[in-house]
């Protein structure tokens, strides 16, 4: 059953602004990335969402397609972003079936809660490989198609593009590393690397017409990340730590995505759009764990889905 449009996109955007465009999204079955893609599809795009779980990815693709009558959304499962050959095959299939790749969202990620002294080498490597190497592999697989799209959708800032925009990539990052976040050293390292990669893409591929930017979500209600990384009984207190007084919604991440991919985002390149209600400035959200009492207690992380047991370095 189709969602109400306001559940995933604001009404300020004109329908059809992404007609005949194609978005390629890794992590597309996730709660945030699926909302990003759904908004683009609602506004005219077709899409390919990429994931590891075949059933979940294909089911989400069918659900996203309900956003607009006649939309084409393919779910490509069994793809590990750490394996470049699988991503290349997914990108090639997308172009073969949908005609192009105009927009890319690199959203595949891994996360759990642990202190650095309990973080194993394999666990650290896994997160870095999924986030950084996975994002790199996504760029490598899709960049030729993005350059081609950018050439077809040049914008000069003075006249409206006749056939819309194209040749743009968004990396989904986080704000964890801005001031440091306890229990998130591994993810902070990975997200910092993604931010750096986006800038490199921006300055190297900008002359070819490709733009590269980052969206950094803060605490977003109803997402898998919130469920995995926070204690339910402490969410009310965490709400108060956000300057605007509430958690965000996936619609607000989707709106930022539409902005960056639309004509309104033509001159934005190599930047990070933080969508967190000002939360990182207070460093107030720590998933309900008291600082520094929790760290000094020697207790293991409990009460959340995304945690690990003690392991040797």
């Amino acid at each position: 059953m189709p969602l109400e449009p306001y559940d995933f996109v604001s009404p300020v955007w004109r329908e059809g602004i992404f007609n005949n465009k194609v978005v390629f999204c890794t992590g597309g079955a996730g709660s945030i990335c699926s909302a990003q893609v759904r908004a683009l599809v609602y506004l005219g795009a077709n899409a390919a969402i990429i994931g590891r779980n075949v059933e979940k990815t294909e089911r989400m693709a069918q659900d996203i397609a309900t956003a607009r009558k006649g939309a084409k959304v393919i779910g490509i499962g069994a793809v590990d972003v750490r394996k470049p050959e699988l991503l290349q095959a997914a990108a090639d299939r997308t172009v073969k079936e949908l005609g192009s790749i105009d927009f890319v969202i690199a959203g595949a990620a891994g996360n759990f809660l642990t202190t650095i002294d309990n973080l194993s080498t394999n666990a650290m490597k896994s997160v870095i490989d999924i986030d950084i190497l996975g994002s790199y592999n996504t760029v490598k697989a899709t960049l030729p198609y993005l350059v081609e799209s950018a050439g077809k959708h040049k914008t000069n800032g003075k006249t409206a593009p006749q056939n819309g925009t194209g040749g743009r990539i968004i990396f989904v990052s986080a704000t964890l590393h801005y001031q440091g976040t306890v229990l998130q050293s591994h993810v902070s390292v990975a997200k910092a690397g993604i931010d750096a990669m986006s800038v490199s893409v921006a300055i190297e591929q900008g002359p070819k017409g490709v733009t590269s930017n980052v969206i950094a979500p803060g605490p977003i209600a109803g997402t898998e990340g919130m469920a995995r990384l926070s204690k339910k009984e402490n969410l009310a207190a965490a709400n108060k730590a956000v300057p605007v007084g509430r958690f965000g919604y996936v619609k607000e991440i989707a709106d930022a995505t539409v902005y960056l991919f639309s004509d309104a985002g033509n001159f934005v390149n190599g930047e990070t759009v933080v969508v967190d209600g000002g939360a990182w400035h207070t460093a107030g959200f720590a998933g309900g764990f008291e600082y520094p009492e929790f760290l000094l207690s020697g207790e293991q992380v409990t009460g959340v889905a995304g945690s690990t047991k003690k392991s040797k370095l």
Side-chain angles (χ1 to χ4, degrees):
M1 182 176 179
L3 297 175
E4 290 297 320
Y6 198 78
D7 288 336
F8 57 87
V9 69
S10 294
V12 298
W13 308 109
R14 176 172 55 83
E15 293 183 21
I17 59 175
F18 296 127
N19 282 352
N20 304 314
K21 300 301 184 299
V22 175
V23 57
F24 180 95
C25 178
T26 59
S31 45
I32 287 180
C33 289
S34 64
Q36 292 174 286
V37 175
R38 193 185 300 268
L40 298 171
V41 169
Y42 175 75
L43 296 173
N46 294 317
I49 62 170
I50 317 304
R52 294 187 67 177
N53 185 299
V54 175
E55 182 180 357
K56 180 180 179 181
T57 303
E58 292 179 349
R59 185 172 61 248
M60 181 59 75
Q62 294 173 357
D63 188 58
I64 291 173
T66 65
R68 176 176 53 83
K69 186 177 181 180
K72 297 178 181 179
V73 183
I74 57 177
I76 306 177
V79 177
D80 186 335
V81 294
R82 293 170 290 188
K83 298 182 178 181
E85 68 277 9
L86 297 182
L87 273 173
Q88 189 63 63
D92 295 343
R93 176 185 165 186
T94 298
V95 173
K96 182 178 180 180
E97 295 189 21
L98 301 179
S100 66
I101 293 177
D102 303 289
F103 307 122
V104 170
I105 299 171
N111 202 346
F112 48 85
L113 296 175
T114 189
T115 56
I116 197 166
D117 52 315
N118 290 327
L119 180 66
S120 71
T121 299
N122 286 338
M124 171 65 96
K125 183 178 185 300
S126 179
V127 171
I128 289 177
D129 283 356
I130 293 171
D131 285 46
I132 298 181
L133 188 60
S135 294
Y136 167 78
N137 289 337
T138 300
V139 172
K140 291 287 285 186
T142 60
L143 187 56
Y145 297 122
L146 287 176
V147 171
E148 181 180 353
S149 177
K152 294 177 180 178
H153 304 94
K154 293 181 179 180
T155 58
N156 59 18
K158 295 182 179 180
T159 57
Q162 295 301 306
N163 57 349
T165 58
R168 302 186 180 182
I169 183 168
I170 288 173
F171 297 85
V172 180
S173 186
T175 63
L176 302 169
H177 51 295
Y178 295 177
Q179 291 183 326
T181 303
V182 295
L183 308 176
Q184 293 283 268
S185 61
H186 46 308
V187 185
S188 296
V189 169
K191 296 306 186 185
I194 287 175
D195 292 359
M197 187 186 311
S198 177
V199 174
S200 293
V201 174
I203 61 176
E204 292 182 358
Q205 305 304 317
K208 302 175 186 177
V210 175
T211 66
S212 171
N213 292 288
V214 167
I215 290 179
I220 306 298
T223 60
E224 296 171 8
M226 273 303 247
R228 285 172 53 81
L229 303 174
S230 56
K231 290 186 174 182
K232 293 181 180 179
E233 64 269 24
N234 288 9
L235 289 181
N239 246 314
K240 296 179 181 179
V242 182
V244 300
R246 64 171 175 85
F247 291 156
Y249 295 98
V250 291
K251 176 184 75 69
E252 289 160 320
I253 308 301
D255 281 332
T257 304
V258 175
Y259 162 65
L260 289 173
F261 284 164
S262 75
D263 191 39
N266 286 342
F267 206 54
V268 183
N269 190 28
E271 298 301 325
T272 296
V273 177
V274 177
V275 187
D276 77 336
W280 84 263
H281 293 289
T282 67
F285 181 72
F289 295 93
E290 297 280 339
Y291 177 84
E293 287 80 6
F294 173 77
L295 296 176
L296 297 176
S297 71
E299 296 178 21
Q300 290 192 31
V301 177
T302 60
V304 297
S307 59
T308 62
K309 296 181 179 179
K310 285 192 175 183
S311 58
K312 296 181 180 179
L313 292 173

